[in-house]
């Protein structure tokens, strides 16, 4: 096994290949609960510096039938960037150069390891923005965002990452380097042939390795405003959101926090003193200053009949204070149960907007039945929900129960007419549900996969075919005690 | 950028070590000890993980299995076991170094290349010119110079009260002018941060107990002017949480700890001496990340008439000092130092202000190497310059400071 590292050292600069046990261990997981339970150290890690490095690795791997797992920041929560069955982890986060900002054509050329927040910091002085905005903006790479088709809060208005990728440089499974979206093109639209860009975006590294991106940009909206609504009942919140869409307003974000999230924020920041209601919704509108103000007033007017209280503001100070409630929630939910950890599994469903209240009630029911506290927040405008399960990671029975919870949440999403992953990607975590979700379409996906990666070396175990895990996922029964019972919250 | 050099990787290695999946290998030790413990990761952690106590625990656990040379072990015993454990020892060393700097020995040592031979060259360069009088906490109190008077207890620090005693005195003066009656509890000592970050947890706990006891008779906030010490003191509660005899006392102590800028932020300190200078504020990691204090020092600087505060790129990046990191990891430390200085000098400041002795000395030594005229000052010094003229009674003086030959200057003048 160690010969993989030796072989790679002969191909690449030796310092770019890691194989010390301690080093491999650090690439054994992403942010998912699954990899906390069962870390998967690879056989070797390559810190790629260039497209040539990537192509060399792919040629080697294809010839020797070694799995290759492309990896950015591994901020993913779906176990999509770990060597589930061994192989080479191809770390792309050192390829982090912004190659060119084309101001006239409003696009940027960059490498996959550029961190999302850093990209937008570099664009801001030019008044430009790459709008998809994952919660992990300060960690996630644009390569990872493209590979998982990440969405974020503002996808409700600006769409997912796929809407902003114009072209890609991709290293295929056999090491061939291609450019999607027409070679050398700077056009913003095209009808030339199959959209390979869209095929690679969201493929989670199962079809090829993204080594360069051409991204579409927009001007930073000059103004924004925010509307806060507090609702006594979840159903009122759901109706308010539908009323807003019906009123012809297109908010740039609509975020919901459930009762437990509100409780958590009050514990974390008592000064916020939020009323204990069933749902809190933040609507953000943006555009030109009078337009944003008009939108905010209109949203307030429309939701008032449903809300216990509502307010709007276009003052930056107030906007930030209100957004803080939303941004704090990830860290704050831990306060609900001191000593507990978030278990990132069943954490990213998406259901039809109209069925959100029903879904949230069902999640509360699952929480009660399995005695696992769940605080749910999400992008209600698009139907995305993030249930945050709080468990004592040292308790094997709680681990068993939270895996059951995750399964029931996934099944619930499908029953509601939704999907098991709204924006995080399939990885190994949602893999078992793909057959149920796609039925014959999954077989078509598999055919595509086989055509592009005949030896199945590209990120195996993700999306198409689940690899056996070191323990059985409790889809309907108890599991044996997992290899590792404690979780670190990092 | 490498997972091995990131917080999650380090936590992962520590966990695998604790659970028996990894052994202590040179590679693991290297990656763990490359950590600056700057807490920049804690400040942005979405899960709220606090790195500092994890690293302290890990380093203490690693220490017994590390193979250190006889020289290294001797040095550690001398520094951690003898020097920092008793302020009398620390002051003795300070006096010796003062003599070394004054009697031409330094000149000779540098000329003869002895420092190079002992591989002490870069460490020696970090040594500031020592002041002629130390600050020795004797339980004395400095009255407020304002009509109002609220109690505050001053944490004098080891390096601060010796090598940077002038900064300590400036701190006390500024606090007095801000309406504080400043106590300087006797029997206080080193905070233990260097021990903690070097894997010597038992000695850190002993130092902590001594400090907790020393401050129990005092009132008001415990005011610290060293970011590194402040972060350590605020963590005492955490480190004693499982010790039934000390948990409550440590928690109460930590709850009182405030950085100087936190205390001054809420007080009416008159800063009416104009200082028409462009100033860069250098965020100490243990202030901005570990204590989340970055606004208050800037607000205080902006109060000074004429002063122009310039922001720099990567303001939250470590300067490479990081406790003893500049001695243990000189290569990485140097890279960080140069990066920080490049950013700072690009805005062409007259003064770089910071609030931590490590940063102060690190930046000073880097600027000296560049023959730069840019001054490095502690926040307390610049506030001292800018605040109202002191009345004759306010300066900590004769009875409270101690000259190098064990007689304070004022006393010897009196005798003459």
């Amino acid at each position: 096994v160690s010969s993989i590292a030796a072989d790679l050292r002969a191909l690449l600069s030796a310092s770019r290949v890691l194989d010390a046990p301690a080093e491999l261990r650090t690439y054994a997981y992403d942010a998912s609960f699954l990899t906390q339970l069962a870390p998967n150290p690879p056989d070797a890690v390559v810190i790629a510096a260039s497209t040539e490095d990537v192509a060399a690795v792919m040629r080697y791997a294809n010839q020797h039938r070694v799995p290759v797992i492309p990896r950015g920041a591994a901020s993913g929560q779906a176990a999509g960037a770990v060597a589930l069955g061994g192989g080479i982890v191809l770390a792309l986060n050192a390829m982090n150069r912004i190659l060119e900002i084309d101001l006239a054509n409003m696009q940027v050329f960059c490498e996959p390891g550029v961190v999302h927040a850093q990209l937008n910091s570099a664009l801001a002085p030019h008044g430009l923005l790459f709008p998809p905005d994952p919660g992990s903006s300060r960690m996630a790479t644009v390569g990872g965002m493209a590979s998982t088709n990440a969405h974020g809060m503002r996808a409700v208005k600006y769409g997912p990452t796929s809407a902003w990728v114009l072209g890609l440089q991709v290293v295929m499974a056999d090491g061939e380097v291609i450019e999607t979206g027409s070679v050398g093109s700077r056009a913003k639209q095209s009808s030339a042939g199959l959209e390979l860009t869209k095929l690679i975006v969201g493929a989670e590294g199962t079809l090829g390795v993204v080594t360069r991106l051409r991204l579409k940009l927009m001007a930073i909206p000059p103004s924004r405003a925010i509307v806060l609504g507090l609702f006594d009942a979840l159903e009122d919140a759901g109706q308010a959101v539908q009323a807003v869409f019906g009123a012809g307003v297109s908010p740039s974000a609509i975020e919901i926090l459930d009762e437990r999230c509100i409780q958590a924020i009050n514990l974390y920041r008592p000064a916020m003193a939020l009323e204990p209601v069933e749902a809190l919704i933040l609507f953000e509108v943006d555009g030109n200053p009078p337009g944003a103000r008009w939108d905010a007033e209109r949203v307030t007017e429309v939701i008032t009949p449903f809300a216990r209280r509502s307010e709007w503001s276009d003052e930056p100070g107030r906007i930030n204070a209100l957004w803080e409630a939303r941004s704090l929630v990830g860290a704050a939910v831990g306060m609900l149960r001191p000593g507990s950890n978030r278990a990132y599994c069943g954490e990213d469903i998406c259901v039809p907007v109209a069925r959100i209240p029903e879904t949230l009630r069902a999640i509360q029911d699952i929480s009660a039945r399995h005695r696992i506290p769940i605080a749910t927040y999400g992008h209600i405008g698009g139907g995305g929900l993030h249930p945050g399960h709080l468990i004592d990671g040292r308790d094997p029975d709680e681990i068993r129960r939270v895996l059951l919870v995750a399964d029931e949440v996934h099944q619930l999403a499908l029953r509601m007419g939704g999907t098991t992953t709204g924006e995080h990607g399939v990885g190994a975590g949602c893999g078992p549900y793909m057959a149920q979700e796609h039925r014959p379409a999954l077989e078509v996906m598999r055919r595509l996969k086989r055509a592009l990666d005949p030896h199945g070396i590209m990120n195996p175990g993700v999306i198409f075919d689940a690899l056996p895990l070191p323990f059985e996922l409790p889809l309907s029964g108890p599991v044996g005690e997992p290899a590792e019972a404690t979780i670190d919250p990092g | 950028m490498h997972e091995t050099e990131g917080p999650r990787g380090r936590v992962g290695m520590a966990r695998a070590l604790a659970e028996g999946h990894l052994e202590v290998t040179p590679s693991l030790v290297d990656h763990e000890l490359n950590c600056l413990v700057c807490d920049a990761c804690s400040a942005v952690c979405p899960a709220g993980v606090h790195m500092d106590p994890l690293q302290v625990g890990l380093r203490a656990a690693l220490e017994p299995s590390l193979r250190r040379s006889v020289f290294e072990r001797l040095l550690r015993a001398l520094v951690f076991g003898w020097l920092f454990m008793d302020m009398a020892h620390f002051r003795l060393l300070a006096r010796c170094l003062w003599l070394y700097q004054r009697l031409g020995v330094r000149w000779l040592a540098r000329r003869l290349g002895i420092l190079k031979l002992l591989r002490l060259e870069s460490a020696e360069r970090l040594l500031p010119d020592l002041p002629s009088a130390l600050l020795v906490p004797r339980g004395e109190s400095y009255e407020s110079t304002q009509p109002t008077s609220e109690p505050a207890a001053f944490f004098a620090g080891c390096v601060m009260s010796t090598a940077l005693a002038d900064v300590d005195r400036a701190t006390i003066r500024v606090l007095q002018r801000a309406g504080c009656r400043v106590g300087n509890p006797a029997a206080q000592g080193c905070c233990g941060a260097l021990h903690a970050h070097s894997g010597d947890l038992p000695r850190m706990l002993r130092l902590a107990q001594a400090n907790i006891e020393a401050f129990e008779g005092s009132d008001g906030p415990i005011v610290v002017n060293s970011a590194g010490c402040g972060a350590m003191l605020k963590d005492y509660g955490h480190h004693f949480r499982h010790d039934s005899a000390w948990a409550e006392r440590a928690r109460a102590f930590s709850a009182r700890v405030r950085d100087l800028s936190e205390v001054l932020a809420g007080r009416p300190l008159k800063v009416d001496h104009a200082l028409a200078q462009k100033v860069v504020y250098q965020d100490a990691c243990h202030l901005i990340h570990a204590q989340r204090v970055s606004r208050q020092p800037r607000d205080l600087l902006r109060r000074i008439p004429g002063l122009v505060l310039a922001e720099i790129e990567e303001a939250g990046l470590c300067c490479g000092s990081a406790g003893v990191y500049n001695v243990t990891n000189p290569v990485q430390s140097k890279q960080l130092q140069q990066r920080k200085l490049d950013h700072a000098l690009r805005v062409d400041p007259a003064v770089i202000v910071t609030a931590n002795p490590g940063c102060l000395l690190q930046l000073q030594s880097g600027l000296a190497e560049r023959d730069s005229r840019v001054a490095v000052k502690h926040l307390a010094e610049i506030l001292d310059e800018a605040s109202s003229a002191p009345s004759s009674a306010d300066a900590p003086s004769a009875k409270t400071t101690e000259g190098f030959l064990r007689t304070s200057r004022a006393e010897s003048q009196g005798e003459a």
Side-chain angles (χ1 to χ4, degrees), chain A residues 398-418:
Chain A
E398 286 205 17
I399 292 172
R400 183 187 65 82
R401 289 188 340 247
V402 80
L403 291 171
L404 281 170
V405 165
D407 178 51
E408 289 194 21
V409 167
H410 286 140
Q411 299 290 0
L412 170 70
L414 295 177
R415 220 168 42 244
M416 291 285 157

Side-chain angles (χ1 to χ4, degrees), chain A residues 29-32 71-78 81 134 136-137 139-141 144-145 424, chain B residues 3 8:
Chain A
Y29 39 74
D30 60 0
S32 65
R71 178 176 164 115
S75 55
Q77 295 166 357
S136 52
S137 167
M139 182 180 184
T141 62
M145 285 177 65
H424 292 173
Chain B
E3 195 75 46
R8 182 172 57 183

Side-chain angles (χ1 to χ4, degrees), chain A residues 26 36 71 73-74 484 486, chain B residues 1 3 8 12 15 19 31 47:
Chain A
T26 64
Q36 292 290 346
R71 178 176 164 115
E484 289 176 47
T486 60
Chain B
M1 191 169 303
E3 195 75 46
R8 182 172 57 183
R15 179 181 152 197
E19 291 173 354
H31 291 306

Side-chain angles (χ1 to χ4, degrees), chain A residues 315-456:
Chain A
E315 277 174 55
R318 187 64 186 152
I319 290 178
N320 289 339
L322 290 174
W323 262 140
E324 203 190 357
R326 170 62 181 85
S327 60
L328 284 177
V329 75
V333 288
M335 301 283 289
L336 291 170
R337 194 178 164 195
S340 71
N341 305 116
R342 284 275 302 268
Y344 290 99
C345 54
E347 84 300 334
D348 178 44
I349 59 168
C350 186
V351 297
V353 177
R355 301 191 78 172
I356 282 197
E358 199 183 336
T359 308
L360 285 170
R361 292 225 183 274
I363 291 173
Q364 286 168 2
D365 174 55
I366 294 170
S367 165
R369 271 192 290 109
H370 293 286
R371 290 168 290 121
I372 300 282
I374 304 179
T376 306
Y377 55 94
H379 320 307
I380 184 172
L385 290 176
H386 299 308
H389 320 303
L390 296 171
I391 65 159
D392 175 355
R394 288 155 298 191
D395 181 343
D397 192 58
E398 286 205 17
I399 292 172
R400 183 187 65 82
R401 289 188 340 247
V402 80
L403 291 171
L404 281 170
V405 165
D407 178 51
E408 289 194 21
V409 167
H410 286 140
Q411 299 290 0
L412 170 70
L414 295 177
R415 220 168 42 244
M416 291 285 157
T419 169
T420 51
T421 170
E423 55 179 347
H424 292 173
V426 179
C430 292
Y433 304 95
M434 289 303 102
Q436 201 178 335
E437 243 187 276
H438 297 294
R439 305 203 191 156
L442 179 65
E443 191 42 44
V444 176
M445 290 189 205
R446 285 183 176 140
R447 269 182 247 156
L448 274 168
K449 160 80 173 166
R450 278 195 294 272
L452 297 178
D453 175 23
H455 303 304

Side-chain angles (χ1 to χ4, degrees), chain A residues 20-23 25-27 29-31 36 47 71 73-74 93-94 96 138-139 331 484 486 488-490, chain B residues 1-4 8-13 15-16 19 21-22 25 27-28 31 43-49:
Chain A
E23 293 170 335
R25 184 81 189 184
T26 64
Y27 289 84
Y29 39 74
D30 60 0
Q36 292 290 346
I47 313 286
R71 178 176 164 115
N93 47 357
N96 60 354
R138 288 202 279 190
M139 182 180 184
E484 289 176 47
T486 60
D488 76 69
Chain B
M1 191 169 303
H2 291 202
E3 195 75 46
T4 47
R8 182 172 57 183
R10 292 200 170 104
V11 171
M13 283 188 282
R15 179 181 152 197
E19 291 173 354
H21 300 291
L22 283 179
T25 56
S27 152
L28 183 142
H31 291 306
V44 299
C45 181
V49 177

Side-chain angles (χ1 to χ4, degrees), chain B residues 142-150 172-182 268-270 387-396:
Chain B
Y142 306 91
E143 283 309 317
S144 159
T145 57
Q146 300 301 313
T148 57
S149 174
E150 283 173 42
I172 293 173
R173 284 194 295 271
V174 170
L175 284 168
Q176 289 175 286
R177 289 174 206 149
C180 293
R181 184 177 71 251
V182 188
L269 174 70
K270 229 198 253 168
S387 53
S388 307
S391 70
S392 57
D394 82 338

